[in-house]
């Protein structure tokens, strides 16, 4: 979804709501590369935003996405899994809850 947000104000508002509404995890699929608007897409380096504005969150892991060429050009996409720091301080991540 974030690749379809072209304006910085909307990106900031979307990311703010995304992290505010999440309790434990946030997952984002993106290449995480800054690129200027091109038609209906724009590249965002959202990890910079998380570091500056979602300081109660940390990156738990990232996994490359493997795409079949018939699905379109999404080369470089990665799944980014963020966890709220308060969950880490509760004794780790065990998948429960």
């Amino acid at each position: 979804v974030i690749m379809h947000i072209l304006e910085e104000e909307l990106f900031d508002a979307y990311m703010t709501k995304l992290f505010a509404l999440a309790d434990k995890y946030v997952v984002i699929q993106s290449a995480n590369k800054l690129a200027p608007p091109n038609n209906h897409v724009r590249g965002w380096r959202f990890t910079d935003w998380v570091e500056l504005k979602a300081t109660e969150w940390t990156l738990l892991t990232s996994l490359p996405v493997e795409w079949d060429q018939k699905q379109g050009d999404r080369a470089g996409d990665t799944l980014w899994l963020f966890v709220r720091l308060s969950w880490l301080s509760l004794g780790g991540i065990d998948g429960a809850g």
Side-chain angles (χ1 to χ4, degrees), residues 1-2 4-7 13 15 17 19 22 25 35 37-40 43-44 47 54 57 59 72 74 77 86 93 96:
V1 171
I2 62 173
H4 295 289
I5 300 172
L6 303 180
E7 298 85 13
M15 295 294 287
K17 284 184 181 180
F19 280 85
Y25 298 113
N38 182 8
N39 289 328
H40 66 282
W44 295 99
T47 52
W57 293 83
L59 180 65
R74 296 292 301 269
D77 268 11
S86 60
I93 303 298

Side-chain angles (χ1 to χ4, degrees), residues 14-88:
Y14 178 84
M15 295 294 287
T16 299
K17 284 184 181 180
L18 177 66
F19 280 85
L21 292 173
D23 183 41
K24 190 173 185 179
Y25 298 113
V26 170
V27 178
I28 298 174
Q29 180 180 322
S30 173
N32 194 39
K33 294 180 183 175
L34 195 57
N38 182 8
N39 289 328
H40 66 282
V41 296
R42 178 177 181 172
W44 295 99
R45 194 160 158 73
F46 62 86
T47 52
D48 293 344
W49 185 95
V50 174
E51 188 176 317
L52 290 171
K53 297 193 175 186
T55 56
E56 69 277 11
W57 293 83
T58 190
L59 180 65
L60 187 61
T61 191
S62 60
L63 303 165
V65 176
E66 295 183 25
W67 286 97
D68 183 322
Q69 289 181 331
K70 290 182 251 178
Q71 292 177 312
D73 182 21
R74 296 292 301 269
D77 268 11
T78 299
L79 289 175
W80 305 82
L81 175 61
F82 295 89
V83 63
R84 191 181 291 270
L85 290 171
S86 60
W87 283 97
L88 291 176

